PDB file of all heavy atoms in Angstrom:
ATOM      1  N   VAL A 123      -9.739  -4.860 -10.707  1.00 77.00           N
ATOM      2  CA  VAL A 123     -10.177  -6.318 -10.570  1.00 77.00           C
ATOM      3  C   VAL A 123      -9.916  -6.748  -9.171  1.00 77.00           C
ATOM      4  O   VAL A 123     -10.708  -7.438  -8.557  1.00 77.00           O
ATOM      5  CB  VAL A 123      -9.477  -7.176 -11.631  1.00 77.00           C
ATOM      6  CG1 VAL A 123      -9.865  -8.647 -11.430  1.00 77.00           C
ATOM      7  CG2 VAL A 123      -9.815  -6.718 -13.015  1.00 77.00           C
ATOM      8  N   VAL A 124      -8.760  -6.418  -8.620  1.00 76.00           N
ATOM      9  CA  VAL A 124      -8.377  -6.801  -7.286  1.00 76.00           C
ATOM     10  C   VAL A 124      -9.365  -6.279  -6.241  1.00 76.00           C
ATOM     11  O   VAL A 124      -9.815  -6.979  -5.331  1.00 76.00           O
ATOM     12  CB  VAL A 124      -6.924  -6.353  -6.920  1.00 76.00           C
ATOM     13  CG1 VAL A 124      -6.656  -6.584  -5.433  1.00 76.00           C
ATOM     14  CG2 VAL A 124      -5.930  -7.079  -7.802  1.00 76.00           C
ATOM     15  N   VAL A 125      -9.734  -5.003  -6.427  1.00 80.00           N
ATOM     16  CA  VAL A 125     -10.698  -4.365  -5.493  1.00 80.00           C
ATOM     17  C   VAL A 125     -12.059  -5.078  -5.563  1.00 80.00           C
ATOM     18  O   VAL A 125     -12.662  -5.362  -4.558  1.00 80.00           O
ATOM     19  CB  VAL A 125     -10.867  -2.858  -5.831  1.00 80.00           C
ATOM     20  CG1 VAL A 125     -12.026  -2.257  -5.023  1.00 80.00           C
ATOM     21  CG2 VAL A 125      -9.596  -2.120  -5.498  1.00 80.00           C
ATOM     22  N   LEU A 126     -12.511  -5.389  -6.795  1.00 82.00           N
ATOM     23  CA  LEU A 126     -13.804  -6.042  -6.945  1.00 82.00           C
ATOM     24  C   LEU A 126     -13.728  -7.456  -6.303  1.00 82.00           C
ATOM     25  O   LEU A 126     -14.739  -7.916  -5.702  1.00 82.00           O
ATOM     26  CB  LEU A 126     -14.160  -6.176  -8.426  1.00 82.00           C
ATOM     27  CG  LEU A 126     -14.495  -4.860  -9.128  1.00 82.00           C
ATOM     28  CD1 LEU A 126     -14.696  -5.103 -10.619  1.00 82.00           C
ATOM     29  CD2 LEU A 126     -15.700  -4.210  -8.505  1.00 82.00           C
ATOM     30  N   PHE A 127     -12.592  -8.116  -6.468  1.00 81.00           N
ATOM     31  CA  PHE A 127     -12.432  -9.442  -5.847  1.00 81.00           C
ATOM     32  C   PHE A 127     -12.511  -9.360  -4.364  1.00 81.00           C
ATOM     33  O   PHE A 127     -13.169 -10.184  -3.676  1.00 81.00           O
ATOM     34  CB  PHE A 127     -11.099 -10.044  -6.282  1.00 81.00           C
ATOM     35  CG  PHE A 127     -10.765 -11.363  -5.608  1.00 81.00           C
ATOM     36  CD1 PHE A 127     -11.402 -12.556  -5.989  1.00 81.00           C
ATOM     37  CD2 PHE A 127      -9.835 -11.413  -4.605  1.00 81.00           C
ATOM     38  CE1 PHE A 127     -11.132 -13.764  -5.327  1.00 81.00           C
ATOM     39  CE2 PHE A 127      -9.502 -12.592  -3.974  1.00 81.00           C
ATOM     40  CZ  PHE A 127     -10.156 -13.766  -4.359  1.00 81.00           C
ATOM     41  N   ILE A 128     -11.796  -8.368  -3.751  1.00 81.00           N
ATOM     42  CA  ILE A 128     -11.768  -8.208  -2.321  1.00 81.00           C
ATOM     43  C   ILE A 128     -13.224  -7.896  -1.779  1.00 81.00           C
ATOM     44  O   ILE A 128     -13.631  -8.429  -0.764  1.00 81.00           O
ATOM     45  CB  ILE A 128     -10.801  -7.103  -1.911  1.00 81.00           C
ATOM     46  CG1 ILE A 128      -9.362  -7.539  -2.183  1.00 81.00           C
ATOM     47  CG2 ILE A 128     -10.950  -6.715  -0.413  1.00 81.00           C
ATOM     48  CD1 ILE A 128      -8.309  -6.462  -1.918  1.00 81.00           C
ATOM     49  N   VAL A 129     -13.905  -7.010  -2.494  1.00 83.00           N
ATOM     50  CA  VAL A 129     -15.279  -6.653  -2.123  1.00 83.00           C
ATOM     51  C   VAL A 129     -16.182  -7.917  -2.136  1.00 83.00           C
ATOM     52  O   VAL A 129     -16.985  -8.121  -1.200  1.00 83.00           O
ATOM     53  CB  VAL A 129     -15.858  -5.593  -3.067  1.00 83.00           C
ATOM     54  CG1 VAL A 129     -17.347  -5.446  -2.868  1.00 83.00           C
ATOM     55  CG2 VAL A 129     -15.163  -4.258  -2.844  1.00 83.00           C
ATOM     56  N   THR A 130     -16.014  -8.746  -3.191  1.00 84.00           N
ATOM     57  CA  THR A 130     -16.839 -10.010  -3.249  1.00 84.00           C
ATOM     58  C   THR A 130     -16.542 -10.925  -2.075  1.00 84.00           C
ATOM     59  O   THR A 130     -17.482 -11.423  -1.436  1.00 84.00           O
ATOM     60  CB  THR A 130     -16.532 -10.692  -4.587  1.00 84.00           C
ATOM     61  OG1 THR A 130     -16.793  -9.814  -5.719  1.00 84.00           O
ATOM     62  CG2 THR A 130     -17.379 -11.957  -4.755  1.00 84.00           C
ATOM     63  N   VAL A 131     -15.277 -11.140  -1.793  1.00 81.00           N
ATOM     64  CA  VAL A 131     -14.884 -12.001  -0.676  1.00 81.00           C
ATOM     65  C   VAL A 131     -15.448 -11.491   0.658  1.00 81.00           C
ATOM     66  O   VAL A 131     -15.975 -12.215   1.453  1.00 81.00           O
ATOM     67  CB  VAL A 131     -13.348 -12.200  -0.634  1.00 81.00           C
ATOM     68  CG1 VAL A 131     -12.934 -12.930   0.615  1.00 81.00           C
ATOM     69  CG2 VAL A 131     -12.843 -12.913  -1.862  1.00 81.00           C
ATOM     70  N   CYS A 132     -15.269 -10.186   0.828  1.00 82.00           N
ATOM     71  CA  CYS A 132     -15.685  -9.522   2.119  1.00 82.00           C
ATOM     72  C   CYS A 132     -17.194  -9.600   2.267  1.00 82.00           C
ATOM     73  O   CYS A 132     -17.706  -9.844   3.391  1.00 82.00           O
ATOM     74  CB  CYS A 132     -15.238  -8.083   2.172  1.00 82.00           C
ATOM     75  SG  CYS A 132     -13.433  -7.864   2.412  1.00 82.00           S
ATOM     76  N   SER A 133     -17.921  -9.465   1.161  1.00 83.00           N
ATOM     77  CA  SER A 133     -19.423  -9.519   1.229  1.00 83.00           C
ATOM     78  C   SER A 133     -19.857 -10.948   1.579  1.00 83.00           C
ATOM     79  O   SER A 133     -20.959 -11.117   2.163  1.00 83.00           O
ATOM     80  CB  SER A 133     -20.002  -9.048  -0.070  1.00 83.00           C
ATOM     81  OG  SER A 133     -19.580  -9.883  -1.151  1.00 83.00           O
ATOM     82  N   ILE A 134     -19.102 -11.945   1.147  1.00 84.00           N
ATOM     83  CA  ILE A 134     -19.432 -13.341   1.516  1.00 84.00           C
ATOM     84  C   ILE A 134     -19.142 -13.614   3.022  1.00 84.00           C
ATOM     85  O   ILE A 134     -19.903 -14.240   3.714  1.00 84.00           O
ATOM     86  CB  ILE A 134     -18.643 -14.308   0.628  1.00 84.00           C
ATOM     87  CG1 ILE A 134     -19.130 -14.210  -0.858  1.00 84.00           C
ATOM     88  CG2 ILE A 134     -18.829 -15.810   1.093  1.00 84.00           C
ATOM     89  CD1 ILE A 134     -18.304 -14.938  -1.818  1.00 84.00           C
ATOM     90  N   MET A 135     -17.958 -13.087   3.415  1.00 82.00           N
ATOM     91  CA  MET A 135     -17.536 -13.319   4.787  1.00 82.00           C
ATOM     92  C   MET A 135     -18.437 -12.564   5.793  1.00 82.00           C
ATOM     93  O   MET A 135     -18.722 -13.070   6.897  1.00 82.00           O
ATOM     94  CB  MET A 135     -16.116 -12.838   4.983  1.00 82.00           C
ATOM     95  CG  MET A 135     -15.110 -13.662   4.239  1.00 82.00           C
ATOM     96  SD  MET A 135     -13.428 -12.930   4.255  1.00 82.00           S
ATOM     97  CE  MET A 135     -13.055 -12.929   6.021  1.00 82.00           C
ATOM     98  N   ALA A 136     -18.887 -11.363   5.437  1.00 81.00           N
ATOM     99  CA  ALA A 136     -19.744 -10.570   6.315  1.00 81.00           C
ATOM    100  C   ALA A 136     -20.818  -9.927   5.496  1.00 81.00           C
ATOM    101  O   ALA A 136     -20.600  -8.943   4.830  1.00 81.00           O
ATOM    102  CB  ALA A 136     -18.899  -9.508   7.019  1.00 81.00           C
ATOM    103  N   PRO A 137     -22.043 -10.517   5.506  1.00 80.00           N
ATOM    104  CA  PRO A 137     -23.153 -10.006   4.706  1.00 80.00           C
ATOM    105  C   PRO A 137     -23.461  -8.513   4.935  1.00 80.00           C
ATOM    106  O   PRO A 137     -23.945  -7.834   4.045  1.00 80.00           O
ATOM    107  CB  PRO A 137     -24.307 -10.874   5.147  1.00 80.00           C
ATOM    108  CG  PRO A 137     -23.713 -12.123   5.629  1.00 80.00           C
ATOM    109  CD  PRO A 137     -22.405 -11.713   6.249  1.00 80.00           C
ATOM    110  N   ARG A 138     -23.133  -8.000   6.156  1.00 85.00           N
ATOM    111  CA  ARG A 138     -23.410  -6.593   6.431  1.00 85.00           C
ATOM    112  C   ARG A 138     -22.448  -5.640   5.767  1.00 85.00           C
ATOM    113  O   ARG A 138     -22.630  -4.449   5.738  1.00 85.00           O
ATOM    114  CB  ARG A 138     -23.365  -6.355   7.943  1.00 85.00           C
ATOM    115  CG  ARG A 138     -24.456  -6.968   8.756  1.00 85.00           C
ATOM    116  CD  ARG A 138     -24.363  -6.637  10.223  1.00 85.00           C
ATOM    117  NE  ARG A 138     -23.140  -7.150  10.864  1.00 85.00           N
ATOM    118  CZ  ARG A 138     -22.162  -6.373  11.326  1.00 85.00           C
ATOM    119  NH1 ARG A 138     -22.213  -5.060  11.254  1.00 85.00           N
ATOM    120  NH2 ARG A 138     -21.109  -6.923  11.904  1.00 85.00           N
ATOM    121  N   PHE A 139     -21.376  -6.221   5.208  1.00 84.00           N
ATOM    122  CA  PHE A 139     -20.325  -5.418   4.584  1.00 84.00           C
ATOM    123  C   PHE A 139     -20.856  -4.655   3.375  1.00 84.00           C
ATOM    124  O   PHE A 139     -20.600  -3.464   3.221  1.00 84.00           O
ATOM    125  CB  PHE A 139     -19.137  -6.313   4.128  1.00 84.00           C
ATOM    126  CG  PHE A 139     -18.121  -5.562   3.300  1.00 84.00           C
ATOM    127  CD1 PHE A 139     -17.177  -4.776   3.937  1.00 84.00           C
ATOM    128  CD2 PHE A 139     -18.110  -5.660   1.927  1.00 84.00           C
ATOM    129  CE1 PHE A 139     -16.197  -4.089   3.186  1.00 84.00           C
ATOM    130  CE2 PHE A 139     -17.181  -4.980   1.189  1.00 84.00           C
ATOM    131  CZ  PHE A 139     -16.253  -4.189   1.803  1.00 84.00           C
ATOM    132  N   LEU A 140     -21.615  -5.287   2.544  1.00 83.00           N
ATOM    133  CA  LEU A 140     -22.060  -4.725   1.272  1.00 83.00           C
ATOM    134  C   LEU A 140     -23.372  -3.939   1.440  1.00 83.00           C
ATOM    135  O   LEU A 140     -24.308  -4.157   0.657  1.00 83.00           O
ATOM    136  CB  LEU A 140     -22.138  -5.760   0.162  1.00 83.00           C
ATOM    137  CG  LEU A 140     -21.905  -5.266  -1.255  1.00 83.00           C
ATOM    138  CD1 LEU A 140     -20.544  -4.585  -1.436  1.00 83.00           C
ATOM    139  CD2 LEU A 140     -22.068  -6.379  -2.276  1.00 83.00           C
ATOM    140  N   THR A 141     -23.447  -3.096   2.413  1.00 87.00           N
ATOM    141  CA  THR A 141     -24.597  -2.234   2.601  1.00 87.00           C
ATOM    142  C   THR A 141     -24.185  -0.812   2.279  1.00 87.00           C
ATOM    143  O   THR A 141     -23.003  -0.471   2.403  1.00 87.00           O
ATOM    144  CB  THR A 141     -25.142  -2.282   4.019  1.00 87.00           C
ATOM    145  OG1 THR A 141     -24.093  -1.860   4.928  1.00 87.00           O
ATOM    146  CG2 THR A 141     -25.555  -3.725   4.409  1.00 87.00           C
ATOM    147  N   LEU A 142     -25.118  -0.014   1.827  1.00 87.00           N
ATOM    148  CA  LEU A 142     -24.807   1.357   1.410  1.00 87.00           C
ATOM    149  C   LEU A 142     -24.171   2.146   2.569  1.00 87.00           C
ATOM    150  O   LEU A 142     -23.189   2.863   2.341  1.00 87.00           O
ATOM    151  CB  LEU A 142     -26.074   2.048   0.881  1.00 87.00           C
ATOM    152  CG  LEU A 142     -25.874   3.501   0.378  1.00 87.00           C
ATOM    153  CD1 LEU A 142     -24.937   3.494  -0.814  1.00 87.00           C
ATOM    154  CD2 LEU A 142     -27.205   4.095  -0.007  1.00 87.00           C
ATOM    155  N   ASN A 143     -24.760   2.038   3.742  1.00 89.00           N
ATOM    156  CA  ASN A 143     -24.259   2.806   4.894  1.00 89.00           C
ATOM    157  C   ASN A 143     -22.770   2.432   5.195  1.00 89.00           C
ATOM    158  O   ASN A 143     -21.965   3.292   5.484  1.00 89.00           O
ATOM    159  CB  ASN A 143     -25.104   2.561   6.124  1.00 89.00           C
ATOM    160  CG  ASN A 143     -26.459   3.241   6.023  1.00 89.00           C
ATOM    161  OD1 ASN A 143     -26.619   4.230   5.260  1.00 89.00           O
ATOM    162  ND2 ASN A 143     -27.437   2.808   6.782  1.00 89.00           N
ATOM    163  N   ASN A 144     -22.476   1.172   5.137  1.00 89.00           N
ATOM    164  CA  ASN A 144     -21.117   0.697   5.453  1.00 89.00           C
ATOM    165  C   ASN A 144     -20.161   1.141   4.382  1.00 89.00           C
ATOM    166  O   ASN A 144     -19.040   1.580   4.720  1.00 89.00           O
ATOM    167  CB  ASN A 144     -21.100  -0.844   5.581  1.00 89.00           C
ATOM    168  CG  ASN A 144     -19.763  -1.329   6.123  1.00 89.00           C
ATOM    169  OD1 ASN A 144     -19.301  -0.911   7.167  1.00 89.00           O
ATOM    170  ND2 ASN A 144     -19.121  -2.230   5.383  1.00 89.00           N
ATOM    171  N   ILE A 145     -20.502   0.997   3.116  1.00 89.00           N
ATOM    172  CA  ILE A 145     -19.610   1.457   2.046  1.00 89.00           C
ATOM    173  C   ILE A 145     -19.354   2.978   2.104  1.00 89.00           C
ATOM    174  O   ILE A 145     -18.230   3.444   1.932  1.00 89.00           O
ATOM    175  CB  ILE A 145     -20.227   1.101   0.654  1.00 89.00           C
ATOM    176  CG1 ILE A 145     -20.321  -0.423   0.481  1.00 89.00           C
ATOM    177  CG2 ILE A 145     -19.395   1.711  -0.463  1.00 89.00           C
ATOM    178  CD1 ILE A 145     -18.966  -1.144   0.521  1.00 89.00           C
ATOM    179  N   MET A 146     -20.384   3.733   2.410  1.00 90.00           N
ATOM    180  CA  MET A 146     -20.243   5.188   2.570  1.00 90.00           C
ATOM    181  C   MET A 146     -19.381   5.507   3.750  1.00 90.00           C
ATOM    182  O   MET A 146     -18.615   6.489   3.755  1.00 90.00           O
ATOM    183  CB  MET A 146     -21.573   5.871   2.650  1.00 90.00           C
ATOM    184  CG  MET A 146     -22.374   5.879   1.347  1.00 90.00           C
ATOM    185  SD  MET A 146     -21.491   6.700  -0.068  1.00 90.00           S
ATOM    186  CE  MET A 146     -20.979   5.266  -1.019  1.00 90.00           C
ATOM    187  N   ALA A 147     -19.501   4.701   4.842  1.00 89.00           N
ATOM    188  CA  ALA A 147     -18.686   4.958   6.036  1.00 89.00           C
ATOM    189  C   ALA A 147     -17.201   4.700   5.723  1.00 89.00           C
ATOM    190  O   ALA A 147     -16.310   5.477   6.126  1.00 89.00           O
ATOM    191  CB  ALA A 147     -19.141   4.067   7.187  1.00 89.00           C
ATOM    192  N   ILE A 148     -16.938   3.610   4.995  1.00 90.00           N
ATOM    193  CA  ILE A 148     -15.545   3.358   4.576  1.00 90.00           C
ATOM    194  C   ILE A 148     -15.014   4.481   3.732  1.00 90.00           C
ATOM    195  O   ILE A 148     -13.897   4.965   3.929  1.00 90.00           O
ATOM    196  CB  ILE A 148     -15.482   2.022   3.776  1.00 90.00           C
ATOM    197  CG1 ILE A 148     -15.840   0.832   4.643  1.00 90.00           C
ATOM    198  CG2 ILE A 148     -14.098   1.830   3.134  1.00 90.00           C
ATOM    199  CD1 ILE A 148     -15.993  -0.478   3.895  1.00 90.00           C
ATOM    200  N   SER A 149     -15.839   4.919   2.811  1.00 91.00           N
ATOM    201  CA  SER A 149     -15.397   6.012   1.897  1.00 91.00           C
ATOM    202  C   SER A 149     -15.123   7.305   2.674  1.00 91.00           C
ATOM    203  O   SER A 149     -14.111   8.023   2.317  1.00 91.00           O
ATOM    204  CB  SER A 149     -16.486   6.297   0.845  1.00 91.00           C
ATOM    205  OG  SER A 149     -16.748   5.085   0.101  1.00 91.00           O
ATOM    206  N   ARG A 150     -15.975   7.646   3.599  1.00 91.00           N
ATOM    207  CA  ARG A 150     -15.768   8.896   4.377  1.00 91.00           C
ATOM    208  C   ARG A 150     -14.496   8.843   5.186  1.00 91.00           C
ATOM    209  O   ARG A 150     -13.678   9.735   5.162  1.00 91.00           O
ATOM    210  CB  ARG A 150     -16.942   9.095   5.342  1.00 91.00           C
ATOM    211  CG  ARG A 150     -16.928  10.441   6.078  1.00 91.00           C
ATOM    212  CD  ARG A 150     -17.949  10.519   7.182  1.00 91.00           C
ATOM    213  NE  ARG A 150     -19.282  10.409   6.662  1.00 91.00           N
ATOM    214  CZ  ARG A 150     -20.015  11.396   6.124  1.00 91.00           C
ATOM    215  NH1 ARG A 150     -19.450  12.620   6.093  1.00 91.00           N
ATOM    216  NH2 ARG A 150     -21.234  11.218   5.672  1.00 91.00           N
ATOM    217  N   ASN A 151     -14.215   7.683   5.813  1.00 90.00           N
ATOM    218  CA  ASN A 151     -13.077   7.555   6.696  1.00 90.00           C
ATOM    219  C   ASN A 151     -11.776   7.561   5.896  1.00 90.00           C
ATOM    220  O   ASN A 151     -10.769   8.150   6.274  1.00 90.00           O
ATOM    221  CB  ASN A 151     -13.140   6.272   7.523  1.00 90.00           C
ATOM    222  CG  ASN A 151     -14.260   6.330   8.567  1.00 90.00           C
ATOM    223  OD1 ASN A 151     -14.646   7.423   8.995  1.00 90.00           O
ATOM    224  ND2 ASN A 151     -14.809   5.163   8.906  1.00 90.00           N
ATOM    225  N   MET A 152     -11.777   6.887   4.732  1.00 93.00           N
ATOM    226  CA  MET A 152     -10.545   6.755   3.960  1.00 93.00           C
ATOM    227  C   MET A 152     -10.264   7.992   3.085  1.00 93.00           C
ATOM    228  O   MET A 152      -9.166   8.106   2.541  1.00 93.00           O
ATOM    229  CB  MET A 152     -10.551   5.481   3.107  1.00 93.00           C
ATOM    230  CG  MET A 152     -10.471   4.222   3.876  1.00 93.00           C
ATOM    231  SD  MET A 152      -9.067   4.191   5.089  1.00 93.00           S
ATOM    232  CE  MET A 152      -7.662   4.411   4.009  1.00 93.00           C
ATOM    233  N   SER A 153     -11.240   8.898   2.950  1.00 95.00           N
ATOM    234  CA  SER A 153     -11.005  10.059   2.085  1.00 95.00           C
ATOM    235  C   SER A 153      -9.938  10.982   2.690  1.00 95.00           C
ATOM    236  O   SER A 153      -9.236  11.674   1.988  1.00 95.00           O
ATOM    237  CB  SER A 153     -12.293  10.842   1.958  1.00 95.00           C
ATOM    238  OG  SER A 153     -13.258  10.092   1.234  1.00 95.00           O
ATOM    239  N   ILE A 154      -9.758  10.935   4.040  1.00 95.00           N
ATOM    240  CA  ILE A 154      -8.800  11.780   4.677  1.00 95.00           C
ATOM    241  C   ILE A 154      -7.375  11.312   4.362  1.00 95.00           C
ATOM    242  O   ILE A 154      -6.498  12.052   3.865  1.00 95.00           O
ATOM    243  CB  ILE A 154      -9.076  11.824   6.222  1.00 95.00           C
ATOM    244  CG1 ILE A 154     -10.411  12.429   6.468  1.00 95.00           C
ATOM    245  CG2 ILE A 154      -7.955  12.627   6.905  1.00 95.00           C
ATOM    246  CD1 ILE A 154     -10.961  12.137   7.808  1.00 95.00           C
ATOM    247  N   VAL A 155      -7.086  10.023   4.651  1.00 95.00           N
ATOM    248  CA  VAL A 155      -5.831   9.443   4.235  1.00 95.00           C
ATOM    249  C   VAL A 155      -5.665   9.497   2.735  1.00 95.00           C
ATOM    250  O   VAL A 155      -4.561   9.659   2.222  1.00 95.00           O
ATOM    251  CB  VAL A 155      -5.688   8.015   4.823  1.00 95.00           C
ATOM    252  CG1 VAL A 155      -4.482   7.317   4.189  1.00 95.00           C
ATOM    253  CG2 VAL A 155      -5.605   7.998   6.304  1.00 95.00           C
ATOM    254  N   GLY A 156      -6.746   9.346   2.021  1.00 96.00           N
ATOM    255  CA  GLY A 156      -6.756   9.407   0.569  1.00 96.00           C
ATOM    256  C   GLY A 156      -6.204  10.720   0.026  1.00 96.00           C
ATOM    257  O   GLY A 156      -5.387  10.728  -0.938  1.00 96.00           O
TER     258      GLY A 156
END
């Protein structure tokens, strides 16, 4: 629920945030530390 809330807030603050390319870029970068 916290993650969904943060995603919602970020998408309002930056409309470019919730694009497929950006979400996949986040996922690729964090998979290493993950």
Side-chain angles (χ1 to χ4, degrees):
V123 176
V124 172
V125 170
L126 292 176
F127 174 75
I128 292 174
V129 168
T130 303
V131 171
C132 290
S133 61
I134 294 171
M135 293 170 62
R138 292 184 295 115
F139 172 80
L140 207 59
T141 60
L142 182 62
N143 286 340
N144 189 53
I145 296 298
M146 289 301 104
I148 294 172
S149 301
R150 186 189 300 275
N151 292 334
M152 289 311 300
S153 294
I154 298 161
V155 170

